[in-house]
Protein backbone atom coordinates (compact mmCIF):
# COMPACT_ATOMS: atom_id res chain seq x y z
CA UNK A 1 0.00 0.00 0.00
CA UNK A 2 1.67 3.24 0.99
CA UNK A 3 1.25 6.93 1.45
CA UNK A 4 0.34 9.61 -1.06
CA UNK A 5 3.17 10.86 -3.24
CA UNK A 6 4.19 14.36 -2.10
CA UNK A 7 3.35 15.83 -5.48
CA UNK A 8 -0.27 14.78 -5.33
CA UNK A 9 -1.14 15.61 -1.73
CA UNK A 10 -2.01 19.21 -2.54
CA UNK A 11 -4.53 17.93 -5.08
CA UNK A 12 -6.35 15.83 -2.54
CA UNK A 13 -9.18 18.24 -2.22
CA UNK A 14 -12.41 16.93 -3.53
CA UNK A 15 -15.32 18.99 -4.82
CA UNK A 16 -17.79 17.08 -2.69
CA UNK A 17 -15.88 16.39 0.50
CA UNK A 18 -13.42 19.28 0.77
CA UNK A 19 -10.00 18.31 2.08
CA UNK A 20 -9.56 14.57 2.34
CA UNK A 21 -8.02 13.27 5.56
CA UNK A 22 -5.79 10.77 3.78
CA UNK A 23 -3.44 10.76 6.79
CA UNK A 24 -6.25 9.17 8.82
CA UNK A 25 -5.68 5.92 6.93
CA UNK A 26 -1.89 5.60 6.65
CA UNK A 27 -2.11 1.87 5.93
CA UNK A 28 -3.95 2.23 2.61
CA UNK A 29 -3.23 3.96 -0.68
CA UNK A 30 -5.41 7.07 -0.61
CA UNK A 31 -4.46 8.60 -3.94
CA UNK A 32 -3.33 7.53 -7.38
CA UNK A 33 -0.12 8.59 -9.13
CA UNK A 34 -2.23 11.02 -11.22
CA UNK A 35 -3.70 12.68 -8.11
CA UNK A 36 -7.15 11.11 -7.91
CA UNK A 37 -8.40 10.34 -4.39
CA UNK A 38 -9.18 6.77 -3.40
CA UNK A 39 -12.17 6.94 -1.09
CA UNK A 40 -11.65 4.83 2.04
CA UNK A 41 -13.77 4.96 5.16
CA UNK A 42 -12.43 7.68 7.47
CA UNK A 43 -10.76 9.91 4.87
CA UNK A 44 -13.92 11.85 3.96
CA UNK A 45 -16.62 13.61 5.93
CA UNK A 46 -20.04 12.31 4.77
CA UNK A 47 -21.70 15.39 6.25
CA UNK A 48 -19.68 17.81 4.08
CA UNK A 49 -20.47 15.72 0.99
CA UNK A 50 -24.21 15.72 1.75
CA UNK A 51 -24.29 19.48 2.28
CA UNK A 52 -22.42 20.16 -0.93
CA UNK A 53 -24.72 17.93 -3.00
CA UNK A 54 -27.79 19.65 -1.50
CA UNK A 55 -26.31 23.11 -2.09
CA UNK A 56 -25.92 22.26 -5.78
CA UNK A 57 -29.36 20.59 -5.91
CA UNK A 58 -27.67 17.59 -7.50
CA UNK A 59 -29.71 14.85 -9.16
CA UNK A 60 -28.15 11.40 -9.22
CA UNK A 61 -29.19 8.57 -11.53
CA UNK A 62 -28.83 4.92 -10.53
CA UNK A 63 -29.08 2.46 -13.43
CA UNK A 64 -29.54 -1.26 -13.04
CA UNK A 65 -30.37 -4.09 -15.43
CA UNK A 66 -32.65 -6.91 -14.36
CA UNK A 67 -33.19 -9.20 -17.34
CA UNK A 68 -34.81 -12.64 -17.14
CA UNK A 69 -34.40 -14.47 -13.84
CA UNK A 70 -32.20 -11.76 -12.36
CA UNK A 71 -35.34 -9.68 -11.83
CA UNK A 72 -37.13 -11.99 -9.39
CA UNK A 73 -33.85 -13.05 -7.86
CA UNK A 74 -32.15 -9.74 -7.07
CA UNK A 75 -34.07 -6.58 -7.94
CA UNK A 76 -36.31 -6.16 -4.88
CA UNK A 77 -33.50 -6.43 -2.35
CA UNK A 78 -31.28 -4.18 -4.46
CA UNK A 79 -33.90 -1.40 -4.61
CA UNK A 80 -35.04 -1.72 -0.99
CA UNK A 81 -31.46 -1.49 0.23
CA UNK A 82 -30.81 1.48 -2.09
CA UNK A 83 -33.73 3.29 -0.47
CA UNK A 84 -32.01 2.78 2.88
CA UNK A 85 -28.46 3.72 1.89
CA UNK A 86 -28.01 5.21 -1.60
CA UNK A 87 -27.83 9.02 -1.71
CA UNK A 88 -30.28 9.44 1.15
CA UNK A 89 -31.71 12.99 1.19
CA UNK A 90 -30.70 13.72 -2.42
CA UNK A 91 -32.65 13.77 -5.69
CA UNK A 92 -32.45 10.27 -7.14
CA UNK A 93 -33.80 8.71 -10.33
CA UNK A 94 -33.65 4.93 -10.59
CA UNK A 95 -33.57 3.49 -14.08
CA UNK A 96 -34.49 -0.19 -14.19
CA UNK A 97 -33.86 -1.81 -17.57
CA UNK A 98 -35.73 -5.08 -17.98
CA UNK A 99 -37.47 -7.39 -20.43
CA UNK A 100 -40.25 -7.91 -17.83
CA UNK A 101 -41.52 -4.40 -16.99
CA UNK A 102 -44.73 -5.69 -15.40
CA UNK A 103 -42.73 -7.78 -12.91
CA UNK A 104 -40.81 -4.84 -11.41
CA UNK A 105 -41.79 -4.71 -7.72
CA UNK A 106 -43.92 -1.79 -6.66
CA UNK A 107 -41.82 0.44 -4.43
CA UNK A 108 -42.74 3.22 -2.03
CA UNK A 109 -39.93 5.71 -2.54
CA UNK A 110 -38.56 8.46 -0.33
CA UNK A 111 -39.09 12.14 -1.10
CA UNK A 112 -37.29 13.42 -4.19
CA UNK A 113 -36.83 9.91 -5.57
CA UNK A 114 -38.45 8.30 -8.58
CA UNK A 115 -38.19 5.08 -10.51
CA UNK A 116 -38.38 4.67 -14.27
CA UNK A 117 -38.76 1.31 -15.95
CA UNK A 118 -37.34 0.91 -19.46
CA UNK A 119 -37.95 -2.14 -21.61
CA UNK A 120 -34.98 -3.88 -23.21
CA UNK A 121 -34.70 -7.00 -25.35
CA UNK A 122 -33.48 -10.21 -23.87
CA UNK A 123 -30.21 -11.39 -25.44
CA UNK A 124 -29.83 -15.14 -25.78
CA UNK A 125 -26.23 -15.39 -24.50
CA UNK A 126 -25.53 -14.12 -20.99
CA UNK A 127 -22.32 -12.50 -22.15
CA UNK A 128 -24.47 -10.42 -24.52
CA UNK A 129 -26.90 -9.49 -21.72
CA UNK A 130 -23.95 -8.03 -19.84
CA UNK A 131 -22.29 -6.33 -22.85
CA UNK A 132 -25.55 -4.96 -24.30
CA UNK A 133 -25.80 -2.75 -21.22
CA UNK A 134 -23.16 -0.41 -22.67
CA UNK A 135 -25.22 0.42 -25.77
CA UNK A 136 -28.45 0.81 -23.79
CA UNK A 137 -26.71 3.12 -21.31
CA UNK A 138 -25.12 5.14 -24.12
CA UNK A 139 -28.55 5.73 -25.64
CA UNK A 140 -30.22 6.49 -22.30
CA UNK A 141 -27.50 8.98 -21.40
CA UNK A 142 -28.19 10.73 -24.70
CA UNK A 143 -31.91 10.92 -23.80
CA UNK A 144 -34.03 11.53 -20.73
CA UNK A 145 -31.57 9.99 -18.26
CA UNK A 146 -28.88 12.37 -19.47
CA UNK A 147 -31.19 15.39 -19.33
CA UNK A 148 -32.59 14.80 -15.86
CA UNK A 149 -29.42 13.87 -13.96
CA UNK A 150 -26.05 15.42 -13.16
CA UNK A 151 -24.25 12.23 -12.13
CA UNK A 152 -25.07 8.62 -12.85
CA UNK A 153 -23.99 5.37 -11.18
CA UNK A 154 -24.27 2.16 -13.18
CA UNK A 155 -24.47 -0.97 -11.02
CA UNK A 156 -24.85 -4.74 -11.30
CA UNK A 157 -28.10 -5.95 -9.75
CA UNK A 158 -26.63 -8.97 -7.93
CA UNK A 159 -25.62 -6.98 -4.84
CA UNK A 160 -27.24 -5.01 -2.02
CA UNK A 161 -26.39 -1.90 0.01
CA UNK A 162 -25.34 -2.35 3.64
CA UNK A 163 -24.12 1.13 4.53
CA UNK A 164 -24.02 4.78 3.54
CA UNK A 165 -23.30 5.21 -0.18
CA UNK A 166 -23.58 8.98 -0.48
CA UNK A 167 -22.29 12.03 -2.38
CA UNK A 168 -18.70 11.34 -1.26
CA UNK A 169 -18.56 8.99 -4.27
CA UNK A 170 -19.49 11.71 -6.79
CA UNK A 171 -16.91 12.96 -9.26
CA UNK A 172 -16.49 13.43 -13.03
CA UNK A 173 -15.36 9.85 -13.64
CA UNK A 174 -15.52 7.20 -10.92
CA UNK A 175 -14.04 3.69 -10.94
CA UNK A 176 -14.40 0.85 -8.43
CA UNK A 177 -11.39 -1.14 -7.18
CA UNK A 178 -12.16 -4.83 -7.64
CA UNK A 179 -12.41 -6.54 -4.25
CA UNK A 180 -10.53 -9.62 -5.38
CA UNK A 181 -7.70 -7.84 -7.17
CA UNK A 182 -6.83 -4.61 -5.36
CA UNK A 183 -3.59 -5.93 -3.88
CA UNK A 184 -2.44 -8.06 -6.82
CA UNK A 185 0.69 -7.24 -8.84
CA UNK A 186 -0.13 -5.60 -12.14
CA UNK A 187 1.12 -8.37 -14.40
CA UNK A 188 -1.28 -10.84 -12.76
CA UNK A 189 -4.41 -8.72 -13.26
CA UNK A 190 -7.07 -10.34 -15.48
CA UNK A 191 -6.94 -7.78 -18.28
CA UNK A 192 -7.55 -8.92 -21.84
CA UNK A 193 -4.07 -9.87 -23.15
CA UNK A 194 -4.89 -10.83 -26.75
CA UNK A 195 -3.42 -7.96 -28.75
CA UNK A 196 -6.09 -8.45 -31.44
CA UNK A 197 -8.79 -7.36 -29.00
CA UNK A 198 -9.74 -3.70 -28.68
CA UNK A 199 -9.59 -4.24 -24.90
CA UNK A 200 -5.97 -5.47 -24.89
CA UNK A 201 -3.49 -4.19 -22.31
CA UNK A 202 0.14 -5.28 -22.40
CA UNK A 203 2.02 -6.49 -19.32
CA UNK A 204 3.42 -2.98 -18.90
CA UNK A 205 0.00 -1.31 -19.04
CA UNK A 206 -2.79 -0.92 -16.51
CA UNK A 207 -3.07 0.97 -13.22
CA UNK A 208 -5.62 -0.98 -11.18
CA UNK A 209 -8.18 -3.64 -12.01
CA UNK A 210 -11.60 -2.04 -11.89
CA UNK A 211 -14.91 -3.79 -11.29
CA UNK A 212 -17.69 -3.22 -13.83
CA UNK A 213 -20.29 -3.81 -11.09
CA UNK A 214 -19.92 -0.12 -10.10
CA UNK A 215 -18.90 2.82 -12.26
CA UNK A 216 -20.12 6.37 -12.46
CA UNK A 217 -19.53 9.96 -13.31
CA UNK A 218 -21.09 12.93 -14.97
CA UNK A 219 -23.28 12.46 -18.03
CA UNK A 220 -20.70 13.67 -20.54
CA UNK A 221 -17.92 11.43 -19.23
CA UNK A 222 -20.23 8.41 -19.16
CA UNK A 223 -21.31 9.04 -22.75
CA UNK A 224 -17.64 8.85 -23.68
CA UNK A 225 -17.08 5.72 -21.57
CA UNK A 226 -20.08 3.83 -22.93
CA UNK A 227 -19.37 4.79 -26.54
CA UNK A 228 -15.77 3.55 -26.15
CA UNK A 229 -16.98 0.20 -24.82
CA UNK A 230 -19.69 -0.18 -27.48
CA UNK A 231 -17.12 0.45 -30.20
CA UNK A 232 -14.57 -1.95 -28.69
CA UNK A 233 -17.14 -4.71 -28.29
CA UNK A 234 -18.26 -4.17 -31.91
CA UNK A 235 -14.68 -4.30 -33.26
CA UNK A 236 -14.05 -7.56 -31.40
CA UNK A 237 -17.31 -9.06 -32.67
CA UNK A 238 -16.30 -8.23 -36.25
CA UNK A 239 -13.06 -10.13 -35.65
CA UNK A 240 -14.88 -13.07 -34.13
CA UNK A 241 -13.32 -12.58 -30.69
CA UNK A 242 -14.65 -11.66 -27.24
CA UNK A 243 -12.68 -10.09 -24.40
CA UNK A 244 -11.95 -12.22 -21.32
CA UNK A 245 -14.33 -10.37 -18.99
CA UNK A 246 -16.59 -8.93 -21.66
CA UNK A 247 -17.69 -5.33 -20.94
CA UNK A 248 -15.40 -5.24 -17.89
CA UNK A 249 -12.31 -5.73 -20.09
CA UNK A 250 -13.32 -2.81 -22.32
CA UNK A 251 -14.08 -0.71 -19.25
CA UNK A 252 -10.57 -1.38 -17.92
CA UNK A 253 -9.08 -0.35 -21.25
CA UNK A 254 -11.10 2.88 -21.15
CA UNK A 255 -9.89 3.71 -17.63
CA UNK A 256 -6.29 3.06 -18.68
CA UNK A 257 -6.66 5.60 -21.51
CA UNK A 258 -8.91 8.02 -19.56
CA UNK A 259 -7.89 8.18 -15.91
CA UNK A 260 -10.76 8.21 -13.43
CA UNK A 261 -10.97 11.32 -11.22
CA UNK A 262 -12.00 9.26 -8.18
CA UNK A 263 -11.55 5.65 -7.12
CA UNK A 264 -13.74 3.81 -4.63
CA UNK A 265 -12.09 1.48 -2.15
CA UNK A 266 -13.27 -2.15 -2.15
CA UNK A 267 -15.53 -1.19 0.77
CA UNK A 268 -17.91 0.16 -1.88
CA UNK A 269 -18.33 -3.24 -3.55
CA UNK A 270 -17.23 -5.99 -1.22
CA UNK A 271 -17.43 -9.77 -1.43
CA UNK A 272 -17.92 -11.40 1.97
CA UNK A 273 -16.38 -14.61 0.66
CA UNK A 274 -12.99 -12.91 0.79
CA UNK A 275 -13.23 -13.02 4.57
CA UNK A 276 -11.87 -10.55 7.08
CA UNK A 277 -9.41 -7.86 5.93
CA UNK A 278 -7.94 -5.30 8.34
CA UNK A 279 -8.35 -2.40 5.89
CA UNK A 280 -12.04 -3.09 5.16
CA UNK A 281 -13.78 -1.10 7.90
CA UNK A 282 -17.25 -0.50 6.56
CA UNK A 283 -18.57 -2.42 3.54
CA UNK A 284 -21.35 -0.42 1.89
CA UNK A 285 -22.40 -2.74 -0.93
CA UNK A 286 -22.10 -6.53 -0.81
CA UNK A 287 -22.11 -9.05 -3.64
CA UNK A 288 -24.93 -11.58 -3.52
CA UNK A 289 -23.69 -15.16 -3.51
CA UNK A 290 -23.06 -16.43 -7.04
CA UNK A 291 -25.39 -19.27 -8.01
CA UNK A 292 -24.27 -19.79 -11.57
CA UNK A 293 -25.87 -23.24 -11.99
CA UNK A 294 -29.19 -21.68 -11.10
CA UNK A 295 -29.18 -18.53 -13.22
CA UNK A 296 -26.80 -19.16 -16.08
CA UNK A 297 -28.92 -21.91 -17.68
C1 LIG B 1 -25.40 -12.92 -16.34
C2 LIG B 1 -24.58 -14.05 -16.35
C3 LIG B 1 -25.13 -15.32 -16.39
C4 LIG B 1 -26.51 -15.46 -16.39
C5 LIG B 1 -27.29 -14.33 -16.37
C6 LIG B 1 -26.75 -13.07 -16.38
C7 LIG B 1 -27.61 -11.90 -16.34
C8 LIG B 1 -27.06 -10.66 -16.08
C9 LIG B 1 -29.02 -12.01 -16.48
O1 LIG B 1 -29.62 -13.08 -16.72
N1 LIG B 1 -29.80 -10.90 -16.34
C10 LIG B 1 -29.24 -9.69 -16.07
O2 LIG B 1 -29.98 -8.72 -15.90
N2 LIG B 1 -27.87 -9.56 -15.98
C11 LIG B 1 -27.30 -8.22 -15.73
O3 LIG B 1 -25.92 -8.19 -16.07
C12 LIG B 1 -27.40 -7.90 -14.23
O4 LIG B 1 -27.56 -6.50 -14.05
C13 LIG B 1 -26.06 -8.38 -13.73
O5 LIG B 1 -25.72 -7.82 -12.49
C14 LIG B 1 -25.16 -7.94 -14.89
C15 LIG B 1 -23.80 -8.67 -14.98
O6 LIG B 1 -23.99 -10.05 -14.82
P1 LIG B 1 -23.47 -10.79 -13.50
O7 LIG B 1 -23.75 -9.89 -12.33
O8 LIG B 1 -24.04 -12.15 -13.41
O9 LIG B 1 -21.96 -10.92 -13.78
P2 LIG B 1 -20.71 -10.82 -12.73
O10 LIG B 1 -21.19 -10.47 -11.37
O11 LIG B 1 -19.90 -12.05 -12.89
O12 LIG B 1 -20.03 -9.59 -13.36
C16 LIG B 1 -18.82 -9.03 -13.68
O13 LIG B 1 -18.46 -9.40 -15.01
C17 LIG B 1 -19.46 -9.09 -16.00
C18 LIG B 1 -18.91 -9.49 -17.34
O14 LIG B 1 -18.71 -10.86 -17.40
C19 LIG B 1 -19.81 -7.61 -15.99
O15 LIG B 1 -18.70 -6.86 -16.41
C20 LIG B 1 -20.22 -7.18 -14.59
O16 LIG B 1 -20.46 -5.79 -14.54
C21 LIG B 1 -19.11 -7.54 -13.60
O17 LIG B 1 -19.54 -7.22 -12.29
MN1 LIG C 1 -22.56 -9.08 -10.76
Amino acid sequence: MGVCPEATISLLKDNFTGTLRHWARPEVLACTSWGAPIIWDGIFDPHVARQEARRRNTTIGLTVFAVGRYLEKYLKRFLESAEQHFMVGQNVVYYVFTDLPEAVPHMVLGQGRLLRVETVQRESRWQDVSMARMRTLYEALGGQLGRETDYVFCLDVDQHFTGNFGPEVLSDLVAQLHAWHYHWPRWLLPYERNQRSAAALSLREGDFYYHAAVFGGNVKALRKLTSHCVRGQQLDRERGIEALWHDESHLNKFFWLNKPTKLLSPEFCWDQHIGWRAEIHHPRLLWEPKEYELVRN
Side-chain angles (χ1 to χ4, degrees):
M1 293 282 157
V3 293
C4 293
E6 280 298 325
T8 61
I9 284 182
S10 59
L11 297 172
L12 273 191
K13 233 170 118 51
D14 178 80
N15 285 336
F16 279 94
T17 58
T19 306
L20 289 159
R21 300 180 298 230
H22 54 92
W23 56 85
R25 295 292 305 270
E27 86 286 19
V28 295
L29 184 68
C31 60
T32 66
S33 60
W34 61 93
I38 307 175
I39 303 297
W40 289 89
D41 189 61
I43 77 162
F44 60 88
D45 182 344
H47 183 71
V48 171
R50 262 178 240 135
Q51 295 261 309
E52 182 58 14
R54 283 311 311 143
R55 195 184 65 76
R56 300 185 189 193
N57 197 22
T58 307
T59 299
I60 302 124
L62 176 55
T63 70
V64 70
F65 287 71
V67 174
R69 303 184 63 176
Y70 272 38
L71 194 155
E72 50 171 324
K73 201 160 162 44
Y74 300 119
L75 185 62
K76 190 159 189 281
R77 189 172 193 197
F78 177 91
L79 290 172
E80 281 175 356
S81 67
E83 277 297 286
Q84 297 303 308
H85 300 293
F86 182 78
M87 303 292 167
V88 175
Q90 309 296 335
N91 309 315
V92 170
V93 188
Y94 297 105
Y95 271 74
V96 173
F97 297 93
T98 181
D99 58 333
L100 302 164
E102 63 289 344
V104 172
H106 186 77
M107 300 277 305
V108 181
L109 302 175
Q111 206 195 337
R113 307 171 77 93
L114 59 96
L115 188 151
R116 301 196 190 280
V117 179
E118 302 287 335
T119 307
V120 293
Q121 269 185 38
R122 183 171 188 172
E123 308 287 334
S124 49
R125 296 172 63 242
W126 69 261
Q127 297 89 338
D128 289 332
V129 172
S130 189
M131 291 193 288
R133 293 182 297 172
M134 289 296 182
R135 179 177 293 278
T136 304
L137 288 171
Y138 174 76
E139 285 164 6
L141 289 159
Q144 187 177 24
L145 169 64
R147 287 192 298 275
E148 69 184 343
T149 59
D150 304 300
Y151 296 93
V152 177
F153 270 77
C154 307
L155 268 60
D156 273 13
V157 74
D158 57 340
Q159 40 192 357
H160 66 274
F161 293 90
T162 53
N164 177 50
F165 202 114
E168 64 275 3
V169 303
L170 300 179
S171 190
D172 290 340
L173 186 59
V174 186
Q176 172 67 53
L177 290 179
H178 196 292
W180 281 91
H181 302 299
Y182 66 99
H183 41 35
W184 286 23
R186 180 166 79 166
W187 64 273
L188 263 181
L189 295 175
Y191 297 129
E192 173 56 57
R193 300 296 186 182
N194 175 359
Q195 290 299 323
R196 291 185 64 226
S197 169
L201 289 180
S202 76
L203 290 175
R204 278 168 290 108
E205 296 176 315
D207 299 301
F208 300 94
Y209 191 80
Y210 303 112
H211 195 177
V214 176
F215 60 89
N218 68 37
V219 170
K220 192 168 169 226
L222 291 180
R223 278 278 283 184
K224 191 171 168 192
L225 179 158
T226 50
S227 92
H228 169 99
C229 294
V230 169
R231 202 175 327 115
Q233 290 172 177
Q234 182 60 34
L235 284 171
D236 281 10
R237 194 171 298 123
E238 285 163 13
R239 295 183 163 194
I241 54 180
E242 192 166 83
L244 181 63
W245 289 108
H246 319 105
D247 45 304
E248 188 168 82
S249 302
H250 294 278
L251 181 76
N252 272 278
K253 174 78 173 222
F254 179 81
F255 282 138
W256 165 246
L257 299 172
N258 303 270
K259 304 300 187 205
T261 57
K262 180 176 279 186
L263 269 59
L264 304 182
S265 79
E267 296 167 309
F268 288 85
C269 191
W270 186 245
D271 181 1
Q272 281 181 298
H273 288 97
I274 294 171
W276 184 83
R277 286 282 185 285
E279 65 275 17
I280 304 299
H281 290 182
H282 184 187
R284 292 134 199 284
L285 182 66
L286 290 179
W287 303 14
E288 298 289 359
K290 295 272 176 206
E291 293 172 57
Y292 293 122
E293 344 49 72
L294 227 139
V295 287
R296 296 211 164 171
N297 303 316

